[in-house]
């Protein structure tokens, strides 16, 4: 349209969307992991399941919250691209249940 104004996303809005999405990731991947630390550090399969589920929910929550933040902008198109990471996270989650404990590896890295 000739009379339409050029619209683009401000970096402050994009940063705000990232901060809002990171909060969900922080709660799942750090706060809840800290609360369940005695369970997650065991070598039982339930520890692997719980730890990997927390990280899968954290990643999917980050992607979905990012999608919601940019979906609110009416002039953007194809915001569903942000949701394409959720099936990849689900596949990685299912594969990790065969013995890769994400919590163990990250806690070994941190400490």
């Amino acid at each position: 349209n000739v009379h339409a104004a050029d619209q683009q996303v401000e970096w402050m809005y994009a940063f705000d969307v990232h901060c809002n999405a990171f909060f969900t990731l922080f709660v799942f991947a750090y706060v809840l992991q800290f609360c369940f630390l005695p369970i997650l550090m065991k070598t039982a399969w339930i520890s692997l399941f719980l730890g990997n589920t927390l990280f899968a929910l954290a990643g999917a929550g980050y992607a979905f919250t990012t999608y919601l933040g940019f979906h609110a902008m009416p002039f953007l198109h194809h915001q569903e691209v942000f949701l394409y990471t959720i099936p990849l996270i689900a596949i990685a989650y299912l594969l990790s249940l065969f013995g890769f404990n994400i919590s163990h590896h990250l806690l070994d890295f941190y400490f």
Side-chain angles (χ1 to χ4, degrees), residues 29-30 33-34 37 41 103-111:
Y30 295 103
Q33 176 179 298
F34 181 74
L37 205 56
M41 290 310 292
S103 293
H104 267 213
H105 289 287
L106 281 178
L107 289 172
D108 286 342
F109 177 73
Y110 290 150
F111 303 110

Side-chain angles (χ1 to χ4, degrees), residues 31-42:
V31 175
L32 288 177
Q33 176 179 298
F34 181 74
C35 293
F36 291 117
L37 205 56
I39 298 169
L40 296 177
M41 290 310 292
K42 296 183 180 183

Side-chain angles (χ1 to χ4, degrees), residues 7-108:
Q7 296 179 338
Q8 54 186 336
V9 178
E10 293 181 10
W11 71 269
M12 291 179 289
Y13 182 80
F15 183 69
D16 184 53
V17 169
H18 160 72
C19 289
N20 291 338
F22 185 77
F23 181 75
T24 59
L25 185 137
F26 179 79
V27 167
F28 280 105
Y30 295 103
V31 175
L32 288 177
Q33 176 179 298
F34 181 74
C35 293
F36 291 117
L37 205 56
I39 298 169
L40 296 177
M41 290 310 292
K42 296 183 180 183
T43 57
W45 190 82
I46 192 71
S47 302
L48 177 130
F49 176 75
L50 182 62
N52 291 358
T53 301
L54 285 175
F55 277 96
L57 289 174
Y62 181 85
F64 187 68
T65 309
T66 303
Y67 162 75
L68 289 178
F70 287 112
H71 186 69
M73 307 294 283
F75 57 89
L76 293 179
H77 302 289
H78 305 293
Q79 298 98 330
E80 65 274 359
V81 170
F82 293 108
L83 297 177
Y84 292 164
T85 58
I86 294 176
L88 297 174
I89 292 169
I91 291 169
Y93 167 70
L94 291 174
L95 291 175
S96 72
L97 291 179
F98 289 106
F100 185 76
N101 193 334
I102 297 169
S103 293
H104 267 213
H105 289 287
L106 281 178
L107 289 172
D108 286 342

